């Protein structure tokens, strides 16, 4: 797929003196926008009532978007590496915005399939391309701190709901005078349609801003004082390079695929159901002790921990290693899920604390995985490899919500569920995390038979020269 010349990679090569710390804001402009996907629970019940559908039927919108994220990231990963981040980020902006506009039309006309097509398919394509485009670029700007780099980019995706959740509630209030966010109130379908229309236009502007300011490093650049030889001293870190086509032939790729799938499946079910879940956990006699406004605030709090976890835990992995940090995500996560299922309903603060730490691990897993890939496979085609690995997210986007929503649909009607109705799903998540923990333990260095030959023409972003012109 050809791109206009003003979007081409060669037009955005940084000149001497360019400050690499201008790249994180470009990444955040995209990731904060597409991170709205984590705020879908705020208007989920409104869509259930508007379309007179089940939780599962509405949950498919979110699942489809995550599936398309994984598929588009896998299919277009090599294209993103070849054409550069500006072309990718602009393309993502168009698809993400179009998804909202088509979804809005579907809500206005009461056509659920249009919401599937819009937010699910078109928006999902924008999610996938937008997600990977700044990540590989940041890794190449920060070879000295890959965990920090990926954390800076991906924390924006986790923090998107922190902005979108209160914004969505306020916009729905403006568009529906009868909706105030009080307990038991549900926004009208038309207010959600207008919300989609507004968000689509806002996110288009912000994402195009990110595309405008992004740059890629020149061929003769490396960070001041960085010695590539130092990475050889760290376990599981290679200075070799593996192509995307060879990476998927290695057991390490599929073990890491399993790790990501398990970590995401366990977390995504909570995020997708966050607002109604906290109300259900503290429901007595049909009335919840947690108001709708407070539930929306809980979604925002989870977004904050999701975002913070992506930065803090991925940065920590630069010091303790990727494999040990995943042992924390998965092992401690098992204990936290058991606590949520057994004592989470005792007090609101305990429920919130357990869920917040779980989601911080969920976010940390996303932010650490690109650096894990860079450690195992090098920088040659890390963006394309990352895109292929995100098919695990696509699979988890189906599994997580289906497990939660399927069990809840079998237990009763929305608005009448209680904490015990969630326990079977939560214990299933414990088992899934156990599988991921074992898969992570089995990861070892990649065999040299998969390495690219030394005379391979590695793209400019992977070059590691002897001089430095940019700090």
């Amino acid at each position: 797929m050809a791109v206009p010349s003003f979007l081409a990679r060669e037009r955005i090569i940084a000149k001497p003196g360019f400050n690499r710390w201008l790249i994180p804001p470009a990444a955040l402009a995209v990731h904060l926008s597409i991170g709205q996907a984590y705020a879908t629970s705020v208007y989920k019940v409104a869509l259930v009532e508007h379309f007179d559908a089940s939780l599962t039927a509405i949950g498919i919108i979110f699942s489809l978007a995550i599936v398309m994220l994984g598929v588009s990231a896998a299919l277009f990963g090599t294209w993103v590496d070849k054409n550069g981040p500006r072309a990718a980020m602009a393309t993502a902006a168009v698809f993400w915005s179009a998804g909202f506009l088509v979804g809005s039309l579907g809500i206005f006309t009461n056509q659920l399939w249009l919401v599937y097509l819009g937010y699910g398919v078109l928006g999902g394509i924008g999610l996938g391309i937008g997600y990977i485009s700044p990540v590989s670029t940041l890794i190449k700007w920060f070879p000295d701190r890959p965990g920090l780099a990926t954390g800076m980019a991906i924390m924006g995706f986790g923090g998107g709901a922190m902005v979108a959740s209160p914004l969505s509630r306020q916009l729905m209030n403006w568009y529906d005078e009868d909706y105030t966010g009080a307990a038991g109130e549900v926004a009208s379908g038309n207010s959600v349609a207008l919300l989609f229309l507004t968000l689509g236009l806002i996110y288009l502007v912000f994402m195009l801003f990110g595309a405008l300011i992004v740059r890629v490093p020149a061929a003769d650049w490396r960070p001041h004082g960085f010695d590539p030889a130092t990475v050889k001293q760290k376990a599981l870190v290679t200075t070799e390079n593996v192509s995307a086509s060879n990476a998927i032939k290695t057991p390490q790729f599929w073990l890491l695929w399993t790790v990501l799938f398990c970590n995401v499946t366990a977390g995504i079910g909570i995020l997708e159901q966050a607002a109604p879940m906290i109300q259900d956990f503290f429901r007595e006699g049909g009335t919840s002790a947690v108001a709708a406004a407070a539930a929306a605030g809980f979604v925002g709090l989870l977004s904050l921990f999701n975002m913070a976890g992506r930065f803090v835990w991925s940065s920590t992995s630069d010091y303790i290693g990727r494999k040990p940090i995943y042992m924390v995500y998965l092992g401690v996560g098992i204990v936290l899920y058991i606590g949520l299922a057994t004592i989470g309903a005792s007090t609101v603060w305990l429920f919130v604390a357990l869920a917040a730490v779980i989601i911080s691990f969920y976010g940390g897993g996303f932010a650490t995985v690109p650096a894990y890939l860079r450690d195992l496979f090098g920088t040659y085609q890390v963006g394309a490899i990352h895109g292929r690995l995100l098919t695990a997210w696509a699979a988890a986007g189906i599994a997580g919500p289906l497990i939660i929503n399927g069990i809840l649909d079998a237990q009763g009607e929305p608005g009448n569920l209680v904490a015990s109705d969630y326990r079977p799903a939560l214990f299933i998540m414990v088992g899934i995390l156990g599988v991921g923990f074992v898969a992570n333990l089995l990861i070892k260095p990649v065999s040299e038979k998969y390495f690219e030959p030394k005379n391979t023409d590695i793209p400019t972003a992977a070059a590691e020269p002897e001089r430095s012109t940019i700090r």
Side-chain angles (χ1 to χ4, degrees):
M1 181 168 57
V3 299
S5 60
F6 66 91
L7 296 176
R9 173 186 285 274
E10 56 268 20
R11 295 289 296 273
I12 58 170
I13 297 175
K15 296 180 180 179
F18 182 83
N19 190 338
R20 64 174 175 169
W21 291 99
L22 294 175
I23 302 302
L28 285 172
V30 173
H31 273 240
L32 281 171
S33 298
I34 61 178
Q36 183 278 340
Y38 283 145
T40 57
S41 64
V42 173
Y43 50 77
K44 184 177 181 180
V45 175
L47 292 180
V48 168
E49 293 200 4
H50 178 73
F51 288 106
D52 191 21
S54 67
L55 282 171
T56 301
I58 298 302
I60 288 174
I61 299 170
F62 177 79
S63 294
L64 185 58
I66 299 303
V67 168
M68 293 307 301
L69 183 157
V71 171
S72 61
L75 292 178
F76 294 105
T78 304
W79 179 86
V80 169
D81 272 349
K82 177 181 178 182
N83 292 282
R86 175 175 287 178
M89 292 159 75
T91 301
V94 171
F95 274 98
W96 183 235
S97 180
F100 276 101
L101 300 183
V102 174
S104 176
L105 178 63
I107 300 171
F108 272 127
T109 60
N110 205 33
Q111 299 292 319
L112 184 56
W113 70 270
L114 274 176
V115 186
Y116 290 158
L117 173 63
Y119 193 96
V121 177
L122 298 178
I125 293 173
L127 277 172
I129 297 175
Y131 190 87
I132 64 174
S133 55
V135 173
S136 60
T137 302
L138 273 168
I139 287 178
K140 292 159 187 172
W141 274 112
F142 293 84
D144 48 338
R145 295 288 300 279
L148 171 69
T150 55
M152 284 189 293
I154 298 176
M155 76 172 181
F157 192 89
M162 187 174 65
V163 176
S165 179
L167 175 62
S168 296
R169 180 174 169 274
Q170 184 61 59
L171 287 172
M172 288 189 293
N173 174 252
W174 285 348
Y175 297 141
D176 181 358
E177 294 180 355
D178 296 327
Y179 176 73
T180 64
E185 288 189 355
V186 178
S188 67
N190 282 346
S191 70
V192 180
L194 289 169
L195 169 68
F196 271 40
L197 180 62
T198 306
L199 292 179
L201 297 176
I202 291 173
Y203 290 141
L204 178 64
V205 173
F206 273 90
M207 294 174 74
L208 290 179
F209 168 75
L212 178 66
I213 65 174
V214 75
R215 296 291 187 274
V216 295
D220 60 349
W221 177 85
R222 78 179 186 201
H224 178 70
F226 173 61
D227 181 4
T230 59
V231 300
K232 296 181 180 180
Q233 303 169 7
K234 299 180 180 180
L236 285 181
V237 181
T238 183
T239 55
E240 303 293 336
N241 287 286
V242 181
S243 68
S245 59
N246 279 334
I248 62 174
K249 300 175 184 177
T250 66
Q252 287 82 358
F253 177 89
W254 294 106
L255 286 170
L256 193 51
W257 190 99
T258 302
V259 168
L260 184 62
F261 170 81
C262 292
N263 194 57
V264 173
T265 299
I268 209 168
I270 287 183
L271 278 177
E272 191 262 350
Q273 189 70 17
M277 185 177 181
I278 191 172
Q279 292 183 291
D280 292 339
F281 257 64
F282 300 95
R283 188 183 305 281
E284 290 185 12
T287 302
S288 176
V290 179
F298 173 63
V299 174
L301 180 67
L302 289 186
S303 177
L304 178 62
F305 274 83
N306 192 350
M307 180 175 65
R310 290 166 190 249
F311 182 75
V312 173
W313 296 123
S314 62
S315 298
T316 302
S317 76
D318 282 331
Y319 298 97
I320 71 172
R322 321 304 170 196
K323 187 171 182 177
I325 200 69
Y326 272 96
M327 293 174 68
V328 173
Y329 298 155
L330 300 161
V332 178
I334 290 173
V335 176
L336 295 175
Y337 260 98
I338 292 174
L340 194 63
T342 56
I343 60 175
S346 58
T347 61
V348 174
W349 72 264
L350 180 61
F351 174 89
V352 171
L354 290 170
V357 179
I358 287 172
I359 295 306
S360 79
F361 288 163
Y362 166 84
F366 272 121
T368 310
V369 82
Y372 211 159
L373 290 171
R374 179 252 172 267
D375 290 351
L376 291 170
F377 303 110
T379 60
Y380 176 29
Q381 292 186 335
V382 66
I385 298 170
H386 187 210
R388 286 160 172 77
L389 191 78
L390 289 181
T391 55
W393 189 1
I398 298 174
L402 279 182
I403 291 171
I404 295 289
N405 291 323
I407 289 176
L408 295 183
D409 280 338
Q411 298 290 342
E413 296 293 327
N416 296 309
L417 299 172
V418 295
S420 60
D421 296 324
Y422 286 81
R423 288 189 183 121
L426 294 176
F427 281 118
I428 290 173
M429 298 306 173
V430 170
I432 291 173
L433 285 172
V435 173
F437 187 85
V438 173
N440 185 54
L441 286 177
L442 296 175
I443 295 178
K444 298 178 180 179
V446 176
S447 171
E448 63 181 17
K449 69 180 179 180
Y450 297 106
F451 295 162
E452 290 297 293
K454 291 294 186 180
N455 60 352
T456 297
D457 183 18
I458 302 296
T460 60
E464 301 198 0
E466 293 301 321
R467 73 178 191 274
S468 172
T469 57
I470 307 174
R471 302 287 178 102

